[in-house]
Amino acid sequence: MSYEEKTMKSEKIYEGKIVNLRIDTVELPDKKYSKREIVEHPGSVGIIPVTEDGSIVLVEQFRKPVEKALLEIPAGKIEINEEPKETALRELVEETGYIANKMEYISEFYTSPGFSDEKIYLFLATELEFEKENPGDDEYIEIKKIKIEDLINMINRGEIIDSKTIISIFYAEKYINQK
Amino acid sequence: MSYEEKTMKSEKIYEGKIVNLRIDTVELPDKKYSKREIVEHPGSVGIIPVTEDGSIVLVEQFRKPVEKALLEIPAGKIEINEEPKETALRELVEETGYIANKMEYISEFYTSPGFSDEKIYLFLATELEFEKENPGDDEYIEIKKIKIEDLINMINRGEIIDSKTIISIFYAEKYINQK
C-alpha cells in the first residue's frame, strides 16, 4: 500500500505525565484535508509470568478510566533511556515480587492504532523466584496466581476484559501446551 | 477488591470528533491525591468475518498515529443511538462489501484501560454474501482474504501488530478448529 497521509499542520493540545494529545491536519489521496486526533504514549511492556505448575501471575488494580478493578498481566510504562526488557524485569519485581531468570521477547503490538501510538512489548517470564514480600505496596495491587485452564474459562465468561491480558493468556496457552 | 479512586475534581481539556481528554483528581486509599489523564472514546466494534473456506476478511489502511498501514479486522466507532450489533453489520458492508447472515457476539474488552475507556465489542460474522463492489471507496481501504493458518504465521512473524486483530485471529482459530 503506497498511500500515506502527509502532515500539513500539527497542533499540540496537551502535554501530560503519561499521554500527550495533538491534532494533525493531513492531506488525503484526493488532496482533501482531514484532521487526526492523536494520543501520544511512550510505550509499555507487558509480562506473562508463567510458573512451573502452569499458572500465570496476574495483578488486580483499580483503573480510573473504566471505573473498575481489572485483572491484568503485570505491565508498565517504558521510562526514558530504558530498554523494553529492562522495563519488563523492573515492573515484574515491583508489581509481583517475582524475579524472572528467563525473560524472552514474544511480540509487540499497538493497543489502539486508530487514535494512539501506544505500543506494548510482550515478554514471557519463566524460571521465577520469589524475591520480596509486599511488592507493589504503594501501587494498591493485588497479586493472583491462576491456572491457565481457569484463565481460559474466565475469558469465556467475560471476567478478563483487558486486551493485552487476553492476548497473553492465548500465548501462554500455546506455550504451556507445547512444553 | 473494595478499593476505589474517588473523583475529587474533573477537568475537561479537549472535546474532539473521536476522543475527549479530561484530567481527574482522585483520592487514594491513603487519602493522598493523584491525577489521572483519561481519554474518553465512544467505543468500537470489531468484526471477524470468517468465510466458508476458513479465511478471514481483513482490511489494510493507513493509521496516522503509528505512521504506517496496518492489517486489521473490519472495525468502527459506535455511533449515537446505535447498538453494537448494528455497528458491526454496518461497518462490515461499508468496509468490505460483505453482508453477514449470521452476526454473533463473541466478547468485549478494553484496549488500553490505563489511560482510556475505549471498549471493543467483538462479533463473529459468518454465512457471508458479497453485496457490492468497490466498498469503502472513500475510506482508502484495501481488502484481503487470508487463510487462518497463514494469519497465525503472520502473527508469529510480527506482520500483524494490531491488538484487536491478534485477539480475533486467536478466536477464529479456535472457532474454525471446532467446526
Side-chain angles (χ1 to χ4, degrees), chain A residues 3-5 26-34 36, chain B residues 140:
Chain A
Y3 152 58
E4 284 188 17
E5 294 179 351
V26 299
E27 191 186 68
L28 302 178
D30 63 6
K31 303 289 173 196
K32 282 184 187 151
Y33 283 15
S34 188
R36 298 283 177 260
Chain B
Y140 308 111

Side-chain angles (χ1 to χ4, degrees), chain B:
Chain B
M1 176 177 270
S2 57
Y3 152 58
E4 284 188 15
E5 293 179 350
K6 204 174 147 195
T7 308
M8 307 310 283
K9 201 183 123 186
S10 190
E11 185 191 355
K12 281 186 194 289
I13 303 287
Y14 175 80
E15 294 203 31
K17 221 172 45 166
I18 293 170
V19 299
N20 303 328
L21 177 65
R22 68 170 211 267
I23 313 292
D24 282 2
T25 303
V26 300
E27 191 188 67
L28 302 177
D30 63 5
K31 304 291 173 196
K32 282 186 188 150
Y33 283 16
S34 187
K35 303 248 184 203
R36 298 282 177 261
E37 299 162 358
I38 297 170
V39 176
E40 299 173 347
H41 186 286
S44 306
V45 153
I47 307 112
I48 319 174
V50 177
T51 64
E52 283 303 308
D53 70 343
S55 295
I56 303 184
V57 182
L58 296 170
V59 293
E60 193 176 74
Q61 63 193 308
F62 187 78
R63 291 300 201 173
K64 188 64 185 171
V66 303
E67 291 289 356
K68 58 175 82 116
L70 295 185
L71 194 61
E72 300 173 43
I73 54 164
K77 191 164 65 82
I78 299 169
E79 300 298 340
I80 295 164
N81 292 324
E82 207 174 36
E83 289 296 315
K85 192 173 176 175
E86 289 173 67
T87 313
L89 290 163
R90 177 178 59 73
E91 288 285 352
L92 179 64
V93 71
E94 276 180 22
E95 294 197 346
T96 69
Y98 281 98
I99 284 188
N101 287 299
K102 209 166 159 193
M103 183 69 83
E104 294 167 89
Y105 168 83
I106 298 281
S107 73
E108 57 198 74
F109 52 81
Y110 294 107
T111 54
S112 209
F115 68 87
S116 174
D117 64 356
E118 188 198 20
K119 186 188 257 187
I120 294 186
Y121 298 82
L122 209 58
F123 287 84
L124 180 71
T126 52
E127 301 178 14
L128 303 177
E129 267 175 64
F130 198 64
E131 166 71 3
K132 58 167 186 171
E133 296 289 340
N134 300 321
D137 211 29
D138 51 359
E139 293 202 44
Y140 308 111
I141 280 175
E142 267 183 42
I143 299 152
K144 305 209 171 173
K145 221 180 85 178
I146 305 176
K147 288 266 191 192
I148 186 70
E149 53 269 29
D150 294 333
L151 290 171
I152 297 290
N153 290 332
M154 290 171 80
I155 290 178
N156 292 337
R157 287 196 304 263
E159 293 166 14
I160 292 175
I161 49 176
D162 168 55
S163 65
K164 68 179 172 306
T165 305
I166 296 173
I167 290 176
S168 297
I169 291 167
F170 286 150
Y171 271 119
E173 186 188 24
K174 285 172 192 260
Y175 169 79
I176 289 167
N177 288 342
Q178 272 165 18
K179 274 219 309 185

